Amino acid sequence: MERRKFLYQMVGAGASAMVVGSTWFLHSCRKMSATAKMIWVKEGSFDNPLRLLPRENDVTAIHWTAKQNTTEIVKNTTTQALGFANDILAPVVDIKRNQVLDVTLNNGLSEITNIHWHGLIVPPDMDGHPDNVVTPGGSFNYHFVINQRASTNWFHPHPHMLTGKQVFKGLAGILLVRDEEEEAFGFPSGTFEIPLILQDKRLYSDGGIHYDPQMTDYMNGYFGHYVCVNGSWSPFLQLQTKIYRLRIVNGSNARIYNLTFSNGIIFHLIGSDGGLLASRKDVDQIILAPGERLDVLVDFSKLKKGQEFFLQSDAFHGGEAQGKQSFKIMRFLIEKEVAEAFVVPTVLSNIAPIFVNNETKIRSFEIANDHGGEGGHQGHGMGDLHSMHTIGGKSFEMDRVDEIVKAGDTEIWEFDNSEGSDAHPMHVHGVHFQVLSRVGGRGVVFPHESGWKDTVLCLPGEKVRVAITFPQNKGKFLLHCHNLEHEDTGMMLNYQID
Ligand code: C2O
Ligand code: CU
Ligand code: CU
C-alpha cells in the first residue's frame, strides 16, 4: 500500500501531522490508547464440530509446506487460511524426550517465514530467530534432540514484522513432549486428551481471515470478533462422563482469556508452560495470556447425559484494551455415560527452586512503553512502526545484542510495567524460568505460575520478577512481548548466552 493511503486509513485527518516525526507519533500513540476501541466478541450458535487436530505420525521426518489451504472456520463455509500441512494450523507433534525432531519447512508463501519452537530448549541456530528465515520457494531443516521434561509447547513463524500476520492467518501448531515421569501417571490419553489452541480471528464475509492492522491495532494488539478453538469458530465437542486432559494454548495475537467453566467445574491444574507442577492445584479460573499454556485434568464423570456447558472467558481488569467482556468460547455436551476409574493425582513432580539471594544479579526491563524508542527509526510513516513499542527504551534491531549473560549463571529478570496502561505477556527464548514475585496490580504469583514458565503476564501496574539459570546453548536469543503487534513494532530485544 502506498504511504499516503496508509496514513489516511490509519489516522484520517491527523495524517499530515505524522510526517513531522516520531515525537508526535508516540505522544499520539499514548493518547489514542487511552480511548482504545474494543473489538467485541461475537458468539455463534456453538453447533460447529470442533476441529480435532491430527497427530503427526513420524516426528523424525516431518515435511511441511507453509502455504495457503482450503479450510472451514465458520460452519459450512469453505475459505482460505495458512497452514503447515493441508488445513489451517499444523498437525500436533507428539514427541518423546531424547528423540530427534526433524522438520523440513518448505516456504510456499510469497514472503519470508520460519518456525520458532516456543518452549523448546534448542541451540540458537534452530530457534527460528528472525535473522534465520526461509525465502519464498526455499526450505530449511530443523533438526535437534528434545532434551527437556514433558511439557505443552507450541510453534509459530517469527519473521520480523510478519509474525503477527502469519500467526493470525493460521501458521501455528502444538508440540507435546512426553517423558517417563509423566507416563507413569497414566493420564487420560487418546480421545480423552485434547489439544486446544485458542485464537481470536477477524473474518471476511466468506469466512476468510482478515489481517490489516491500523494504528490502534498496532498499539493495543490485533483482536478478532470470532474466538476460534483449533481453527473452528463457535465450536462444540461431545464428551463422555470421563476425566479429560486438556492441553490449552493461548495462540492469540493479543487476546487474554479469563478461563472458567459455565457450570462451575474446576480445573485440576497439573502443568503449565514447562511441564508438570510440583502438585495439582484446583482452581476455577485462570487468566491465560498469549504464549502461555495449561495442562489440566477436568472431571466430567459426575455429569449426566444431555447436560451441556461452556468454556468461557469472564471479564477481568486487563488494562484499557483487555478484559471488558465476558463471552463463551466453546460448548460441551455429554453424549454418553460411562464408568471412570482414573483418580486425579495430588503429588506430581519435584520442582527445585532456583537459588537466588541478595547477591543475584537483577536485570530490570522497563516495559511500560512511556518513553519512546531510542534505538528506533526516526521519521516517516511506516518507519515509525519499528519503534512504536520498546523494552528498556529500545526497539528491536536485528544485529544489536542488548544483553549478555553467562551460560550456567542465575539471574533475576524484572519486567516493570508499574507505570504502564497495557498488558504485556513477556517471553524469553531458550530458557525456562521460575516466577519469584509480582508486585502491584494482582500482587500474587498464581498457581499456574508455580512451575516452570517461559512466558509471564505483566498487567498494568505490575512488576514481575523471574529467576533464570541460563543453559549451555551459547548464542543469540530473543526476549519479547508476546502481544504480536507489540513484538512486530519493536517490543523485542536480543540477548546472548556466552
Ligand atoms: Cu512464541 Cu518469540 O515466541
Ligand atoms: Cu519462544
Ligand atoms: Cu506488549
Side-chain angles (χ1 to χ4, degrees), residues 145-189:
V145 179
I146 300 289
N147 183 19
Q148 64 188 77
R149 60 205 292 265
S151 45
T152 309
N153 304 284
W154 69 304
F155 51 91
H156 57 79
H158 221 302
H160 188 42
M161 298 190 85
L162 293 170
T163 301
K165 173 186 170 189
Q166 293 184 7
V167 173
F168 202 82
K169 292 196 164 209
L171 291 175
I174 297 177
L175 186 150
L176 306 174
V177 174
R178 313 272 181 190
D179 67 7
E180 282 163 15
E181 180 192 30
E182 184 216 62
E183 268 157 21
F185 287 102
F187 290 129
S189 60

Side-chain angles (χ1 to χ4, degrees), residues 245-258:
R245 183 180 190 187
L246 306 180
R247 319 288 297 250
I248 304 175
V249 176
N250 184 350
S252 307
N253 280 35
R255 191 177 289 281
I256 300 166
Y257 303 90
N258 185 15

Side-chain angles (χ1 to χ4, degrees), residues 116 118 427 429:
H116 166 56
H118 185 137
H427 171 49
H429 283 215

Side-chain angles (χ1 to χ4, degrees), residues 369 389 422-426 481-483 486-487 491:
N369 267 295
H389 288 96
D422 211 349
H424 302 291
M426 299 305 295
C481 176
H482 221 289
N483 177 311
H486 291 181
E487 174 191 326
M491 200 167 179

Side-chain angles (χ1 to χ4, degrees), residues 22 34 119 127 152 165 229 250 294 358 363 380 404 422 483:
S22 60
D127 192 48
T152 309
K165 173 186 170 189
V229 185
N250 184 350
L294 298 173
N358 47 23
R363 270 178 224 256
H380 324 280
I404 298 175
D422 211 349
N483 177 311

Side-chain angles (χ1 to χ4, degrees), residues 62 110 122 198 288 310 369 398:
I62 294 176
S110 54
V122 301
L198 312 180
L288 195 71
F310 292 87
N369 267 295
M398 192 73 81

Side-chain angles (χ1 to χ4, degrees), residues 49-56 88-95 151-155 172-178 182 188-199 228-232 235-237 239 244-251 259 288 292-298 300 311 329-330 332:
L50 176 77
R51 174 181 284 98
L52 296 171
L53 299 170
R55 306 262 166 154
E56 191 61 60
I88 192 173
L89 300 164
V92 174
V93 178
D94 204 322
I95 191 165
S151 45
T152 309
N153 304 284
W154 69 304
F155 51 91
I174 297 177
L175 186 150
L176 306 174
V177 174
R178 313 272 181 190
E182 184 216 62
S189 60
T191 48
F192 304 105
E193 180 187 42
I194 306 176
L196 301 171
I197 181 164
L198 312 180
Q199 299 176 301
C228 299
V229 185
N230 297 349
S232 301
F236 82 100
L237 179 69
L239 300 172
Y244 282 71
R245 183 180 190 187
L246 306 180
R247 319 288 297 250
I248 304 175
V249 176
N250 184 350
L259 298 173
L288 195 71
E292 290 188 295
R293 290 89 69 200
L294 298 173
D295 190 351
V296 295
L297 298 176
V298 191
F300 302 120
L311 177 66
I329 296 170
M330 177 173 166
F332 295 90

